[in-house]
Amino acid sequence: MITSDILNSFSVPIYCGGVSDFDLIQNELDTCIRKVDFSMNDKWGSTHYLSDTSFNSNIIEDFNLEYFSKEIGIHVEEYCNKLDFNHVPNYKIISSWFALFRKGNYAHIHNHGDSDIAGVYYYKRSGNDGNLFFCTPNKAADTSVLFMNNRLVTNPKEGEIVLFPGFLDHGVQTNDSDDERVSLSFNIYFDR
């Protein structure tokens, strides 16, 4: 009898967790989002609306989102623990912005560069307004019929935070619904 096994090596951990106090977080973000102006980045075409098309803003810091910031800390610690990285280094959220997706909007495949952790919180969504997807980090997979088009599609709900390595390519499928989808993305850097 032949025995066999598959070794899944070099996996990329993606974390998804619900916030501990949905109403508190939503209320804090409600106050903030009323003060935000959305516009499109002209260089991208009609993809989606952003609170700052230059990515120089830090909504979390600028609006002193105390509860949301603490909530991110809870999830960063949980993410690190699940990776057996038991000492969470000091970190800083260096940028954060809202993204608004109306009917026909989507997000190109992109990554968050050298950030240690990229994250997104789902402030408003119906569930059929464009899902988040991740591409394999193994670019050579496209050369194989067996592994090409290797994407992981996720369907996060309102009140969920998704954390992943900043280098991981991802995008948002087209919003084919009449519902608006609003998320708050952020980049985290660990102290070295």
Side-chain angles (χ1 to χ4, degrees), residues 96-107:
S96 57
W97 61 94
F98 281 108
L100 167 64
F101 295 80
R102 293 185 172 129
K103 188 170 189 169
N105 291 159
Y106 62 95

Side-chain angles (χ1 to χ4, degrees), residues 38-111:
F38 286 95
S39 59
M40 286 198 181
N41 185 326
D42 295 333
K43 296 176 185 173
W44 297 348
S46 301
T47 57
H48 60 289
Y49 300 85
L50 298 167
S51 57
D52 182 357
T53 59
S54 68
F55 296 105
N56 289 328
S57 71
N58 192 337
I59 292 286
I60 295 167
E61 190 175 277
D62 295 347
F63 288 91
N64 193 26
L65 298 178
E66 176 185 355
Y67 299 114
F68 185 69
S69 185
K70 287 180 184 174
E71 189 69 36
I72 288 174
I74 291 167
H75 291 275
V76 167
E77 184 173 344
E78 181 70 12
Y79 186 35
C80 289
N81 288 339
K82 288 187 178 297
L83 296 172
D84 291 327
F85 196 76
N86 296 320
H87 172 70
V88 180
N90 291 329
Y91 66 87
K92 182 161 178 57
I93 300 168
I94 57 114
S95 58
S96 57
W97 61 94
F98 281 108
L100 167 64
F101 295 80
R102 293 185 172 129
K103 188 170 189 169
N105 291 159
Y106 62 95
H108 290 288
I109 294 173
H110 65 285
N111 61 56

Side-chain angles (χ1 to χ4, degrees), residues 28-38 51 59 62-63 98:
E28 186 176 53
L29 294 180
D30 285 343
T31 303
C32 173
I33 204 163
R34 282 188 225 118
K35 301 173 185 175
V36 171
D37 292 322
F38 286 95
S51 57
I59 292 286
D62 295 347
F63 288 91
F98 281 108

Side-chain angles (χ1 to χ4, degrees), residues 11-15 76 79 83 92 94-95 97 108-120 132-137 139 162-171 185-190 192:
S11 67
V12 179
I14 299 169
Y15 170 92
V76 167
Y79 186 35
L83 296 172
K92 182 161 178 57
I94 57 114
S95 58
W97 61 94
H108 290 288
I109 294 173
H110 65 285
N111 61 56
H112 293 224
D114 62 353
S115 62
D116 291 298
I117 297 176
V120 59
L132 173 67
F133 65 88
F134 295 96
C135 304
T136 178
K139 305 298 182 198
V162 178
L163 303 175
F164 52 94
F167 65 77
L168 187 60
D169 284 346
H170 59 285
S185 297
F186 50 90
N187 290 321
I188 292 174
Y189 283 80
F190 290 137
R192 301 280 190 238

Side-chain angles (χ1 to χ4, degrees), residues 144-167:
S144 167
V145 171
L146 192 58
F147 298 107
M148 67 177 43
N149 300 319
N150 192 358
R151 287 188 179 174
L152 171 66
V153 178
T154 64
N155 189 8
K157 297 172 180 45
E158 273 185 7
E160 288 187 339
I161 291 177
V162 178
L163 303 175
F164 52 94
F167 65 77

